Amino acid sequence: MLHFDALHLGIALGPLDVYLLLVGMINLSKRPFLTTGARDVAAIGVAISGFIVAGPMELFLPQAAADRFGPFVWLLLLAFYGLCLTLLVLMLRPRLVIYNANPEHLRSLLSEMVSEMGAEARWAGDSLIVPQLGVQLHLEPFAAMRGVQLVAAGPRQSYTGWRRFELALTKKLKATKAARNPQGYVMVAIGALLIGAITYATMSDPTTVVQGLDDLLRR
């Protein structure tokens, strides 16, 4: 049976809190920030890992494995979760995520970048084809975060070409400035509130937290 105490609150919200603070600071940067879709999904997977541990993992904890391995069963469960997350990341099509980017400005930036690479850029609406690199992508803005995703269009992609494309775009974005995204302040504020809530709950009854952790590891 699950208990909504300070321990479970910290386990569930701790990783999410770190994620919100990190993304919030990225949005408050004065420059665009580029990451791969794999790293973006991996970061989200880590952010929700606390809910997985405090929820399904504890609820469906295999008692036979817990009796045999003791506290180390949690390492096995976390390793299994990590392997599942890794498999999901490896199955994803190439994707680049750019925070603090204006779609229209990014279009011109991409055309200029591809030209500097000695390749040809073909636009069809919001889709870009770079035959020399084996890259076909589609621009998908996400206005809430003031960012753009460059998503692979179709299964036939060159991963080497995507890597070259990513390195060239990263270099290009370093010379580009962007205004701070106000949503970043909201994320940082929520992160600070979560830290305060976890700290207050832990300091209010530290004995219960220690006892709860001991019970959790002895299950």
Side-chain angles (χ1 to χ4, degrees):
M1 184 176 180
L2 299 180
H3 302 281
F4 294 96
D5 52 23
L7 176 63
H8 289 84
L9 182 70
I11 293 174
L13 298 181
L16 179 62
D17 178 41
V18 175
Y19 176 79
L20 288 175
L21 289 174
L22 178 61
V23 176
M25 288 187 290
I26 288 175
N27 278 272
L28 292 177
S29 172
K30 289 186 177 181
R31 295 186 184 279
F33 177 83
L34 182 146
T35 186
T36 64
R39 288 194 290 263
D40 192 54
V41 171
I44 295 175
V46 173
I48 66 172
S49 62
F51 290 96
I52 302 298
V53 172
M57 276 192 190
E58 184 177 0
L59 184 62
F60 300 107
L61 180 68
Q63 194 57 49
D67 293 338
R68 180 171 182 177
F69 298 105
F72 294 103
V73 70
W74 289 103
L75 294 178
L76 297 176
L77 291 173
L78 289 173
F80 177 70
Y81 176 74
L83 289 173
C84 291
L85 182 59
T86 301
L87 177 61
L88 174 62
V89 168
L90 291 175
M91 292 175 62
L92 295 174
R93 290 181 181 178
R95 180 166 62 96
L96 298 176
V97 182
I98 303 100
Y99 293 93
N100 288 352
N102 180 282
E104 295 303 321
H105 180 253
L106 184 62
R107 283 174 63 98
S108 61
L109 197 69
L110 289 174
S111 297
E112 181 180 338
M113 180 199 77
V114 172
S115 178
E116 292 175 355
M117 295 176 69
E120 179 184 356
R122 302 176 187 171
W123 285 97
D126 289 329
S127 297
L128 172 65
I129 302 174
V130 188
Q132 290 86 346
L133 298 180
V135 172
Q136 302 178 49
L137 58 86
H138 182 75
L139 272 71
E140 295 185 1
F142 48 106
M145 299 292 293
R146 203 173 68 186
V148 182
Q149 296 186 79
L150 306 181
V151 185
R156 295 185 178 180
Q157 303 287 337
S158 169
Y159 289 91
T160 302
W162 271 91
R163 180 57 179 166
R164 289 180 57 194
F165 191 91
E166 176 193 347
L167 293 175
L169 183 56
T170 299
K171 182 179 179 180
K172 197 72 176 177
L173 291 175
K174 286 182 179 179
T176 305
K177 293 186 178 180
R180 288 190 174 96
N181 184 2
Q183 293 289 346
Y185 292 106
V186 177
M187 292 184 178
V188 171
I190 293 175
L193 288 174
L194 291 178
I195 289 179
I198 295 172
T199 303
Y200 176 77
T202 303
M203 297 300 293
S204 297
D205 195 0
T207 304
T208 301
V209 174
V210 174
Q211 183 61 45
L213 181 60
D214 185 64
D215 293 341
L216 188 67
L217 294 177
R218 289 177 181 275
R219 294 190 59 173

